[in-house]
Amino acid sequence: MIEARGIKKRFGAQHVLNGVDLRIDDGEAVAIIGRSGGGKSILLKHLIGLLSPDEGEVLIRGLPIAHLSERQLLDVRKEFGLLFQSAALFDSMTVHENVAFPLRRDRQLTSAEIGMRVDEALAMVDLPGTGAKRPAELSGGMRKRAGLARAIVYRPKVLLYDEPTTGLDPIVSDSIDQLIKRLCEQLRTTTVVVTHDMRSVRAIAQRVLMLHEGKIYANAATSDLFASTDPVVSAFVKGVSTPKDLLL
Amino acid sequence: MISAIASRFTHAMEGLGSVALLAQEAMSSIVRKHWEPGLLLYHTYFIGLKSLSVVLITGAFTGMVLAAQTYFQFHKVGMDTATLAIVSISMCSELGPVLSGLMVAGRVGASMAAELGTMKVTEQIDALRALATHPVDYLVAPRLVAATIVMPMLTVCSICVGILAAYVVGVGLLGIDPAYAWHNMIHYTSVEDVVMGLIKSVIFGALVALVGCYKGLNCQQGAEGVGRATTEAVVFSSITILISNFFLTLVLTRLFTKS
Ligand SMILES: Nc1ncnc2c1ncn2[C@@H]1O[C@H](COP(=O)(O)OP(=O)(O)O)[C@@H](O)[C@H]1O
Ligand SMILES: [Mg+2]
């Protein structure tokens, strides 16, 4: 179970998170939606202690992590997988080495087993045969999928995805959505997806949190969210800009 | 003006403190065996290979110019055969370690800062952390150990080449008596001079690696941030090498003369 209590984060004068409260139960699939630049990626990084809040607390299974040392956090993070928005592949390594990286700390695995697990993960994200390439030789969407393979290869109990389908074509997007859903249902992985893609939300999430102006503005079951009459929520869900959002 | 200088000074001191904290973290990572020794060979090879040529050239030309200058002055008082002794003592205890340190700072310190800085701005450091790997274990500790191993080797190479070059210049070009010059050199160069140079080189190697890694890990956003981290790594480690060299000479000489 992941819980955030009143987390606030400020960069200079900009209050990115302004008291976020949330609670995600084990095995649940939750989507976090919100405007670009609204602090979704920042929020996700707080949930695994990559950033520590200025105020508030994050609890993982009741353990407060906001002020643990980096070394204490490593143990907590072993159960987490995070797909970065930018994929964040190690560019000095091949795709295969990237995906194998989290497995290398498991001393019981032989290199043949590691190779098998890596190939399996690459096939799951529809990237078979790219293992020998370097991240620089991949397209943006392929990098995203390689990052996804790296996040799921060690079968973590909690998976956080930062815009997993952004920049992918609709068909691959759909297969990634199915993959995320499958991981959640078959392995009972707790799933948190940050996304702008309403199709993904529908396909994956049981519950949706909307981050708006640094707070959780809406917290609703997926079907309720799509039926919502709240102007902010329905404008986002339907994708309509109001006159003040127009650039000109 | 004064406040600007004061703020610069506190900034530098803060930097020094943070480097010391990084050193402590890296030491504890090594002692507690959290670090990844598998990467050591790669970094040792890489640091050595990258700096060898530049360290050798520096050593050779420093030895040569030192031989020439010493000879020109000593010739006036008829002490030609002391030339090599002067070259050898200064190369072993001061010039070898310091010049190699400065060269390695320019080559290796800069590339460490650029590499880690790029990793930082492209979220690769965060990715390491998310994959339950401590950046100090994986990035800093292997580089630190490699640098402290390689630096004395490079210094020894630089000293040998410097003395050899001085011999060639002194004997071949300036016509110093080879047997006497060589004998004087062996006679006057003490073990302490060599040990002092080696101790310094170990410290300088650690300094270059720590400052390079520190600047990389604390890089600001963007290409500009990486550029600044790289320059600062070179400047900061060069200055600390020069300053600490002075104090090391004082302390080590005191230690050696006492025992
Ligand atoms: N390292 C940083 N320094 C300063 N501001 C930042 C930093 N990272 C993010 N921000 C700011 O925080 C806000 C939220 O960013 P982010 O979480 O990436 O948004 P998104 O919801 O699109 O993922 C942005 O306005 C961004 O300018
Ligand atoms: Mg984002």
Side-chain angles (χ1 to χ4, degrees):
Chain A
M1 190 186 68
I2 306 168
E3 202 177 338
R5 287 189 193 152
I7 53 177
K8 293 190 179 177
K9 185 74 179 178
R10 198 158 61 92
F11 289 107
Q14 184 192 7
H15 293 264
V16 179
L17 300 180
N18 210 351
V20 172
D21 296 287
L22 58 79
R23 192 194 150 102
I24 296 161
D25 289 318
D26 286 339
E28 206 183 4
V30 175
I32 298 177
I33 59 174
R35 304 284 300 268
S36 274
K40 303 184 296 300
S41 300
I42 299 290
L43 174 59
L44 222 47
K45 286 183 182 174
H46 278 86
L47 297 185
I48 69 168
L50 289 179
L51 290 171
S52 63
D54 298 334
E55 274 175 56
E57 187 57 90
V58 177
L59 298 109
I60 309 290
R61 286 208 188 89
L63 173 76
I65 64 160
H67 300 286
L68 290 186
S69 75
E70 184 69 20
R71 191 145 323 264
Q72 292 167 316
L73 277 168
L74 295 182
D75 281 329
V76 178
R77 292 193 193 123
K78 280 184 182 145
E79 305 189 343
F80 280 76
L82 171 60
L83 168 62
F84 285 79
Q85 186 170 359
S86 63
L89 296 172
F90 303 121
D91 53 19
S92 60
M93 301 180 195
T94 63
V95 170
H96 188 283
E97 287 164 342
N98 262 285
V99 180
F101 187 86
L103 296 176
R104 111 215 105 94
R105 64 167 182 254
D106 188 347
R107 298 265 149 77
Q108 277 149 27
L109 288 176
T110 64
S111 64
E113 283 170 322
I114 289 180
M116 236 172 58
R117 292 269 292 270
V118 171
D119 290 340
E120 186 191 31
L122 285 173
M124 278 165 103
V125 298
D126 198 18
L127 279 181
T130 48
K133 291 201 172 178
R134 302 229 160 214
E137 297 163 337
L138 302 181
S139 75
M142 289 163 89
R143 258 177 246 166
K144 203 58 168 278
R145 282 180 282 155
L148 181 57
R150 187 179 67 183
I152 63 176
V153 72
Y154 54 105
R155 294 169 198 154
K157 293 202 188 82
V158 183
L159 269 162
L160 313 173
Y161 307 87
D162 199 345
E163 305 196 12
T165 55
T166 306
L168 302 182
D169 68 64
I171 295 168
V172 177
S173 291
D174 188 56
S175 73
I176 296 294
D177 287 345
Q178 299 306 324
L179 172 64
I180 293 173
K181 198 172 158 116
R182 215 163 58 232
L183 289 170
C184 178
E185 283 169 358
Q186 290 175 1
L187 302 176
R188 297 257 318 134
T189 315
T190 309
T191 304
V192 182
V193 186
V194 163
T195 185
H196 298 290
D197 187 346
M198 290 306 138
R199 256 180 43 158
S200 301
V201 174
R202 254 187 244 270
I204 302 165
Q206 296 150 4
R207 188 159 66 94
V208 184
L209 303 172
M210 182 169 175
L211 188 65
H212 184 68
E213 294 178 342
K215 288 197 164 82
I216 298 294
Y217 182 83
N219 173 5
T222 307
S223 53
D224 295 347
L225 182 98
F226 283 101
S228 171
T229 51
D230 182 279
V232 176
V233 175
S234 78
F236 189 88
V237 168
K238 299 202 181 87
V240 269
S241 60
T242 55
K244 86 173 176 31
D245 296 327
L246 291 179
L247 297 175
L248 292 177
Chain B
M1 181 65 191
I2 288 175
S3 77
I5 292 173
S7 93
R8 267 235 144 126
F9 182 75
T10 37
H11 190 74
M13 284 296 130
E14 268 169 26
L16 220 54
S18 315
V19 171
L21 285 180
L22 183 63
Q24 185 198 2
E25 186 77 50
M27 289 308 289
S28 99
S29 154
I30 294 163
V31 171
R32 303 231 171 93
K33 301 208 173 74
H34 291 304
W35 70 301
E36 310 219 0
L39 302 164
L40 185 57
L41 198 63
Y42 167 77
H43 287 296
T44 311
Y45 173 76
F46 195 68
I47 297 174
L49 195 73
K50 223 174 180 178
S51 346
L52 187 61
S53 57
V54 60
V55 163
L56 289 184
I57 292 172
T58 317
F61 280 90
T62 310
M64 280 153 76
V65 79
L66 203 58
Q69 269 301 352
T70 314
Y71 171 82
F72 295 146
Q73 306 308 320
F74 276 23
H75 185 62
K76 297 176 194 158
V77 290
M79 286 173 61
D80 301 10
T81 51
T83 303
L84 280 190
I86 296 288
V87 172
S88 147
I89 293 170
S90 32
M91 281 303 286
C92 286
S93 61
E94 303 289 342
L95 292 172
V98 170
L99 291 177
S100 308
L102 294 179
M103 290 299 135
V104 172
R107 285 294 250 166
V108 175
S111 86
M112 283 180 186
E115 199 180 337
L116 300 208
T118 308
M119 288 184 76
K120 163 96 179 182
V121 302
T122 54
E123 291 189 308
Q124 291 178 56
I125 304 262
D126 278 347
L128 269 184
R129 299 168 62 208
L131 294 169
T133 305
H134 202 301
V136 170
D137 298 345
Y138 189 75
L139 299 171
V140 181
R143 283 174 172 79
L144 175 64
V145 176
T148 47
I149 292 175
V150 175
M151 199 61 203
M153 297 187 193
L154 288 171
T155 304
V156 167
C157 293
S158 140
I159 292 170
C160 292
V161 167
I163 291 175
L164 219 65
Y167 184 87
V168 170
V169 168
V171 173
L173 216 62
L174 305 169
I176 304 173
D177 183 279
Y180 274 118
W182 194 260
H183 174 264
N184 279 341
M185 181 184 92
I186 305 287
H187 184 73
Y188 286 109
T189 310
S190 59
V191 180
E192 279 86 353
D193 293 323
V194 181
V195 173
M196 180 147 102
L198 289 180
I199 294 177
K200 283 180 176 178
S201 70
V202 170
I203 293 173
F204 296 162
L207 254 175
V208 168
L210 283 171
V211 173
C213 290
Y214 171 76
K215 286 292 175 189
L217 289 177
N218 291 283
C219 174
Q220 300 297 307
Q221 286 304 309
E224 193 193 337
V226 177
R228 185 172 318 146
T230 311
T231 332
E232 281 181 358
V234 177
V235 173
F236 199 82
S237 49
S238 302
I239 290 178
T240 23
I241 284 176
L242 291 170
I243 295 176
S244 63
N245 179 54
F246 172 69
F247 292 103
L248 281 171
T249 299
L250 288 191
V251 172
L252 291 174
T253 316
R254 181 73 42 100
L255 269 180
F256 286 146
T257 46
K258 227 172 224 163
S259 58

